[in-house]
Amino acid sequence: MPFALTPERDRELTDILTRYPTKMAACIPLLHLCQEQNGFIDDDVVTFVSHRLDLPPAHVKGVVTFYTLFNQHKVGKHQVWVCRTLPCALRGANDMLHYCEKKLGIKAGETTADGKITLRTAECLASCGSAPMMQVDKDYHENLTPAAVDEILEKLRS
């Protein structure tokens, strides 16, 4: 069955289209809407967006593969992003990433066996003054310590 938005999200798409001067400009918001519903962007979603916005599928696929916030495969219930840019790296982000990998039993880019947590790295989460930091779903956790990471991961697992 081809991908389609729910009626509520389809109404949201109608609203999105009124806010942009061209259909192409609505590509990223529509992809976010689709990902919110589907959990990730696969070829069916690319085809759907392509048809709805009158864009070539290659254009939509290019947007999906360029932006790391679009999931190209199924991810865990929670996404943990560990920032690894220079300020975070200088303040121990690499140690925090390895600590997360050890605690979760996975490497960056993988999902735990129970499907609860996907561990990822980010190039910059714009919180350099409070490094090391990580983003869990939409929440920031800053000035991380192993004890703070333990607490965060335990909450996600429960």
Side-chain angles (χ1 to χ4, degrees):
M1 182 175 200
F3 177 84
L5 290 173
T6 63
E8 297 83 27
R9 286 192 172 92
D10 201 60
R11 283 191 291 276
E12 197 172 334
L13 171 59
T14 300
D15 180 57
I16 287 170
L17 291 173
T18 65
R19 291 184 269 150
Y20 292 92
T22 65
K23 286 183 174 181
M24 180 184 282
C27 186
I28 289 175
L30 177 53
L31 285 168
H32 279 293
L33 191 64
C34 293
Q35 182 167 274
E36 184 180 292
Q37 177 177 312
N38 199 47
F40 60 100
I41 306 293
D42 61 8
D43 288 344
D44 285 344
V45 174
V46 168
T47 300
F48 172 81
V49 172
S50 170
H51 286 286
R52 289 300 294 262
L53 300 181
D54 298 323
L55 295 171
H59 176 89
V60 178
K61 187 76 170 181
V63 172
V64 171
T65 56
F66 181 79
Y67 293 103
T68 58
L69 290 176
F70 293 120
N71 303 317
Q72 296 177 53
H73 53 82
K74 187 175 181 176
V75 295
K77 179 180 178 185
H78 301 285
Q79 291 191 69
V80 174
W81 296 80
V82 178
C83 185
R84 66 178 190 178
T85 45
L86 186 59
C88 281
L90 291 172
R91 298 203 55 204
N94 225 18
D95 292 340
M96 286 301 128
L97 177 61
H98 293 306
Y99 189 75
C100 288
E101 289 176 334
K102 183 178 175 186
K103 293 293 285 188
L104 296 170
I106 59 174
K107 297 288 185 190
E110 296 177 345
T111 301
T112 55
D114 61 5
K116 286 190 173 180
I117 301 171
T118 297
L119 180 62
R120 304 176 84 166
T121 59
E123 286 309 316
C124 184
L125 293 172
S127 189
C128 303
S130 54
M133 66 86 59
M134 65 184 187
Q135 181 178 344
V136 178
D137 300 325
K138 294 184 178 180
D139 297 323
Y140 273 20
H141 299 272
E142 301 163 310
N143 297 307
L144 293 174
T145 63
V149 170
D150 285 344
E151 187 176 323
I152 293 163
L153 296 180
E154 192 58 39
K155 283 181 184 173
L156 296 177
R157 287 180 159 156
S158 61

